[in-house]
Amino acid sequence: MDLHCEYFHPELETLDRAGIIKLQLERLHRTLEHCMQSEFYRKRFAEAGIRPSDIKTLEDLRKIPFTTKQDLRDNYPFGLRSIALEDCVRLHSSSGTTGNPTVILHSKLDLEQWAQAVARCLWMVGCRPSDVFQNSSGYGMFTGGLGFQYGAELLGMLTVPAAAGNTLRQIKFFTDFGTTVLHAIPSYAARIYEVMCEQGIDPRRDTRLRTLVIGAEPHSEDTRRRIEEMLGVKAYNSFGMSEMCGPGVAFECKEQNGMHIWEDYYIVEIVNPDTLEPVPDGEVGELVLTTLNREAMPLLRYRTRDLTRILPGECPCGRHHIRLDRMKGRSDDMIILKGVNIFPIQIEQVLMQFKELASDYLITLETRDNNDTMRVEVEMQDVNLDDYASLQRLERSIRSRLKDEILITPEIRLVPKNSLPKSEGKAVRVKDLRQQY
Ligand code: ADP
Ligand code: ZN
């Protein structure tokens, strides 16, 4: 492996558009034939009155019905598999942040290709075998654990499976093992910094950290910049989901401007979540993915429920794989309050512009006197909470900027640092206590 080469898989990463389309078509045909080994897809195709041979171009893909999370649930645990169970070597089950569990099966080949994808992402942001990679993801069923473990090992890094939580121990590992690359969810990266400060540890002076991989939950550009500033690192956004193996689906390159989604692994569509028609290029819609090299459980036109858009234009890094914008959230994260649609990330974007505020916040929806209301509690940086007049000024200013953004005037509560509940996994940003009518 040429350590100075920018690419992990040069021949695949630098494919031009024509090359990508040719490869996608070949792999799509293979995938469709293979899907006929699955009872689920055989039935789906029969019901829709189509055969794999009807799909001749990438546009023809639209003839195939969508696959949804509900399909995975209805066929729990093994109903969508395309190979014999004895040829599967691992399963991951989604915790179901939003419902019943689902199962994803993997063959040996699936695991190899997954590790290749993760290694490609990590190489892209400058990770090399001389790096020490510490993974603060939960292991077990959560794919951020084993997914990054095997990818980082394949690349050749010394890989520390620190797993989630136990922040003091994480920090000790940084200093003992000389960790240079950390993988963490954004809320946890901020938490690690707070604990470092409490311990009198300066990440720039006392650790060798220089790269952070953050993902698994929506976060704003300002949040990223803050975390970079805190830890003295470059932070790269990483997107994945268990249905698509896990991490390694889309990842930022060094340009930090959108995440390349690997088009030799996936066909990308962005559709209007209501009409399910494609949206014009550059517009936000629901991400729909078709897997191109999965063996145990290929998925066709899978509705991810994640909202994003394709960034227009070419990336200066030389990769032609399209770039996805930051995730706006899942369609089911959307808050509907007084008929207005609001994504928690819109609120975060406003809050993180105030340097007086720390990174943790909690949105509570409540019914008071038959009226639905929103309260935003947000932690302050270390400031004088007794200076009542300036706190009030700050509250007013936050309220008014939020009103401009979400068209609703929430109650703002400024709270001391570290007073909001912390979670070890993905941050819980919304508490909905509204009465259901
Ligand atoms: P669960 O459904 O239990 O949360 P997953 O671990 O598969 O299971 O989570 C995948 C989801 O996490 C994605 O569908 C997306 O909503 C969210 N996600 C993953 N990476 C990112 C990211 N970089 N930015 C925003 N959201 C992300
Ligand atoms: Zn790029």
Side-chain angles (χ1 to χ4, degrees):
M1 176 70 68
D2 174 3
L3 296 185
H4 301 293
C5 177
E6 284 297 303
Y7 307 106
F8 192 73
H9 291 132
E11 66 298 348
L12 291 168
E13 287 177 59
T14 57
L15 271 179
D16 60 12
R17 186 62 16 211
I20 289 177
I21 290 175
K22 183 165 170 284
L23 185 69
Q24 285 191 324
L25 256 181
E26 279 166 26
R27 292 190 172 181
L28 176 63
H29 287 141
R30 201 179 60 196
T31 298
L32 292 173
E33 289 300 336
H34 182 54
C35 277
M36 292 303 106
Q37 305 300 315
S38 129
E39 213 180 300
F40 170 82
Y41 278 117
R42 262 203 314 276
K43 198 157 149 244
R44 261 293 148 89
F45 273 55
E47 281 163 6
I50 50 171
R51 282 171 308 185
S53 56
D54 295 332
I55 314 300
K56 296 196 167 58
T57 65
L58 291 179
E59 288 68 41
D60 288 341
L61 191 65
R62 283 198 232 147
K63 295 179 182 166
I64 303 173
F66 293 100
T67 307
T68 62
K69 192 142 197 152
Q70 194 57 41
D71 291 324
L72 298 183
R73 289 186 181 133
D74 293 346
N75 293 280
Y76 176 88
F78 303 139
L80 268 89
R81 75 191 151 81
S82 290
I83 59 172
L85 207 52
E86 65 206 46
D87 293 324
C88 297
V89 294
R90 190 183 319 153
L91 68 75
H92 279 278
S93 170
S94 155
S95 54
T97 310
T98 55
N100 291 327
T102 54
V103 157
I104 300 293
L105 290 165
H106 301 275
S107 69
K108 270 195 178 146
L109 185 69
D110 291 333
L111 293 183
E112 270 169 40
Q113 305 201 102
W114 180 13
Q116 295 272 352
V118 173
R120 187 195 287 189
C121 295
L122 293 172
W123 188 278
M124 178 163 73
V125 297
C127 297
R128 295 295 180 268
S130 55
D131 278 301
V132 179
F133 181 92
Q134 184 166 326
N135 189 6
S136 72
S137 270
Y139 275 64
M141 289 298 191
F142 184 61
T143 55
L146 292 176
F148 270 109
Q149 182 74 28
Y150 285 106
E153 287 176 359
L154 180 70
L155 195 154
M157 289 187 281
L158 174 60
T159 307
V160 184
N166 204 338
T167 312
L168 285 175
R169 196 181 60 155
Q170 302 276 358
I171 296 170
K172 181 166 162 51
F173 287 170
F174 295 161
T175 42
D176 290 357
F177 305 145
T179 303
T180 53
V181 187
L182 171 69
H183 170 240
I185 55 178
S187 46
Y188 191 56
R191 176 78 194 134
I192 287 179
Y193 174 70
E194 280 166 12
V195 178
M196 278 182 159
C197 293
E198 287 162 18
Q199 300 296 313
I201 293 173
D202 173 352
R204 286 182 175 77
R205 187 193 59 205
D206 304 323
T207 79
R208 294 177 60 214
L209 279 179
R210 75 184 155 74
T211 304
L212 176 71
V213 172
I214 43 172
E217 62 186 15
H219 55 286
S220 66
E221 182 64 25
D222 282 315
T223 300
R224 181 242 293 274
R225 295 296 172 208
R226 273 177 177 229
I227 295 175
E228 286 189 324
E229 184 53 34
M230 289 171 181
L231 292 173
V233 294
K234 280 268 173 216
Y236 298 96
N237 194 359
S238 148
F239 171 79
M241 71 181 66
S242 20
E243 296 93 315
M244 300 293 135
C245 285
V249 178
F251 217 85
E252 276 182 337
C253 64
K254 285 191 165 169
E255 301 293 324
Q256 295 186 307
N257 183 16
M259 299 176 284
H260 288 287
I261 177 157
W262 301 120
E263 291 184 88
D264 51 329
Y265 280 70
Y266 305 102
I267 296 178
V268 179
E269 296 172 83
I270 308 278
V271 303
N272 176 313
D274 299 320
T275 65
L276 300 180
E277 289 298 318
V279 301
D281 269 358
E283 268 187 33
V284 173
E286 179 178 339
L287 176 68
V288 172
L289 296 176
T290 297
T291 64
L292 289 174
N293 51 10
R294 285 274 288 287
E295 197 175 45
M297 219 171 130
L299 294 174
L300 304 177
R301 305 195 78 203
Y302 183 72
R303 289 188 59 186
T304 66
R305 300 191 292 181
D306 287 314
L307 300 171
T308 182
R309 68 187 184 111
I310 293 177
L311 289 180
E314 288 286 334
C315 184
C317 78
R319 293 175 184 82
H320 302 284
H321 298 257
I322 52 177
R323 286 169 303 158
L324 299 180
D325 200 358
R326 253 171 213 297
M327 297 291 143
K328 220 175 142 183
R330 300 192 209 206
S331 47
D332 33 37
D333 284 341
M334 192 173 74
I335 298 168
I336 305 181
L337 189 71
K338 301 181 184 189
V340 182
N341 299 346
I342 303 163
F343 284 97
I345 194 77
Q346 288 176 278
I347 295 175
E348 177 175 317
Q349 269 157 5
V350 171
L351 297 178
M352 292 308 124
Q353 284 166 16
F354 288 88
K355 59 179 186 334
E356 300 90 334
L357 302 180
S359 12
D360 266 330
Y361 62 95
L362 179 66
I363 302 163
T364 307
L365 308 169
E366 266 175 323
T367 311
R368 284 192 223 143
D369 305 328
N370 295 322
N371 195 7
D372 286 342
T373 59
M374 176 189 285
R375 181 172 68 237
V376 179
E377 285 165 282
V378 54
E379 289 187 2
M380 304 276 297
Q381 301 283 16
D382 298 318
V383 290
N384 182 1
L385 288 169
D386 300 330
D387 182 356
Y388 192 65
S390 54
L391 284 184
Q392 272 200 323
R393 250 196 323 276
L394 179 61
E395 265 179 26
R396 265 202 307 278
S397 161
I398 298 170
R399 204 163 34 236
S400 123
R401 290 246 214 115
L402 278 175
K403 168 126 201 286
D404 291 343
E405 174 65 32
I406 61 174
L407 310 175
I408 288 217
T409 314
E411 178 196 339
I412 305 294
R413 212 175 272 178
L414 300 174
V415 300
K417 211 162 173 182
N418 290 329
S419 61
L420 290 174
K422 310 284 169 212
S423 97
E424 275 195 1
K426 302 189 187 201
V428 179
R429 301 295 192 196
V430 183
K431 237 165 63 185
D432 193 346
L433 308 174
R434 284 177 291 182
Q435 280 165 13
Q436 305 297 330
Y437 297 103

